[in-house]
Structure formats: C-alpha cells, structure tokens
Amino acid sequence: MEETSWLSSILFNPFTTGLAIGLAVAVVVWVRGWMKARELKQSLRKLREHLHTKLEIDASETERRKHELDTIRQERDNLRNMVQVLNQKPGRPELRQLQVYQRAVEIMFEKSPGFAPAWQITLKEAEEDIRQAERGIIPFFKRMTGASTGPANSAKRPLELEQNSGK
C-alpha cells in the first residue's frame, strides 16, 4: 500500500495538480489553435482559388479587350486609307474646290451688297450657255460661222472691224 500512498501523495500534491491542470489547459489551447490553423489554411486555400479564378477571368477579359482594340485600330486604319483613296479619285479635288467656291460666294453675299444681283445675272447667263452647249446649239453655230462666243474671240472681233473699216 505504500506504493499507492506514494502515488497518491504525488498525484494529490498541489504542484502536480496544478501541473496537470496547466497541461490540460495547454492541450485544450493547442487543440483549438491547431483547429483554428487548419480552418485558416482552408480559408486561405479558398481565397487563393478565388483569386486565381478572378485573375483568369480578368486575363481573358484583358485579352478580349486587346483583340477588340486591335480590330478597331485595323478598321480605323482601313477607313483612313479608304478616305484617302476616295479623296484621290477623279473629281474629288474638283468637288472640294467647288465647295470652297460655294463658301466664298456665300461670304461675298454677306459682305458685299452689290455682289448678289451681278452674280445672279452672271450665273443665269452661264447656266444658259451650258444648257445650250449640252443641247448642241452652240457647237452647231460654231461650225456654221467658224466663230467662237468666248471672251478671247469677242476681243478680236472689234479689232477686225477696225482693221476692215480702216481700209
């Protein structure tokens, strides 16, 4: 029995009891810490997977946007080239010059009060000359008389008359 008394004296000693309680508390704290660490590792793994998925989605979106940007740049360059080609086609510089002249006429109408009536009369005469030329009346008369109705020939006619009258 002495053995049991020696064992019971060690077990019921206040130091041993305090040591046992301290070890029990330490084991409980260690188990809870281990469980918390395991929980945090799982949470960290989930967050890494989520981050990986998000980065993949962002990368694919970035690639899609880059491809779309390249496509848009190529379309812009194609359109720019098409505009240059269309501007170089025959008649385009003439149309641009016509627009410049039209704008100049509008400015003259605004700035010069006497310009409008003279311009309208001159414009009507020019339109009538063009209509007659399109119908073939003017070329027929030119062939019949051999004379031109242009300003160069009208300047020659008075000289011819003066020379003929001087003889």
Side-chain angles (χ1 to χ4, degrees):
M1 254 260 196
E2 226 177 79
E3 246 180 63
T4 57
S5 73
W6 176 79
L7 188 58
S8 65
S9 70
I10 291 177
L11 287 177
F12 292 112
N13 187 352
F15 175 75
T16 311
T17 307
L19 184 63
I21 291 172
L23 285 174
V25 169
V27 167
V28 168
V29 169
W30 179 75
V31 168
R32 287 185 77 201
W34 178 73
M35 290 176 70
K36 189 71 169 174
R38 188 173 156 196
E39 201 176 292
L40 288 175
K41 283 182 183 178
Q42 288 177 351
S43 177
L44 183 62
R45 190 176 327 129
K46 284 182 184 178
L47 287 174
R48 282 184 179 166
E49 288 174 5
H50 178 69
L51 181 62
H52 181 69
T53 305
K54 173 119 175 72
L55 289 175
E56 283 180 351
I57 291 170
D58 287 347
S60 65
E61 182 67 20
T62 303
E63 286 299 318
R64 185 189 64 79
R65 285 184 180 174
K66 282 182 183 177
H67 179 68
E68 185 177 332
L69 184 63
D70 290 341
T71 304
I72 289 172
R73 281 183 181 156
Q74 189 172 7
E75 287 177 9
R76 181 196 64 196
D77 292 342
N78 289 344
L79 288 173
R80 186 178 292 149
N81 290 340
M82 190 180 298
V83 166
Q84 288 176 352
V85 167
L86 288 175
N87 282 337
Q88 292 175 355
K89 279 190 172 182
R92 293 294 178 178
E94 291 82 8
L95 286 175
R96 184 183 178 288
Q97 191 65 33
L98 179 66
Q99 290 173 350
V100 169
Y101 288 157
Q102 179 63 32
R103 182 68 185 134
V105 167
E106 290 171 3
I107 292 171
M108 285 298 291
F109 277 139
E110 292 173 2
K111 289 183 178 179
S112 286
F115 177 74
W119 174 254
Q120 293 297 332
I121 293 169
T122 308
L123 186 64
K124 285 180 184 176
E125 289 176 2
E127 285 177 354
E128 185 60 33
D129 286 347
I130 296 297
R131 261 192 241 120
Q132 288 178 356
E134 287 173 350
R135 280 190 254 158
I137 295 174
I138 291 177
F140 177 73
F141 285 129
K142 282 182 186 176
R143 277 183 262 147
M144 295 298 283
T145 60
S148 173
T149 59
N153 255 354
S154 62
K156 288 181 184 176
R157 259 191 226 147
L159 292 176
E160 289 174 1
L161 291 176
E162 287 176 13
Q163 287 174 355
N164 289 340
S165 62
K167 284 186 181 179

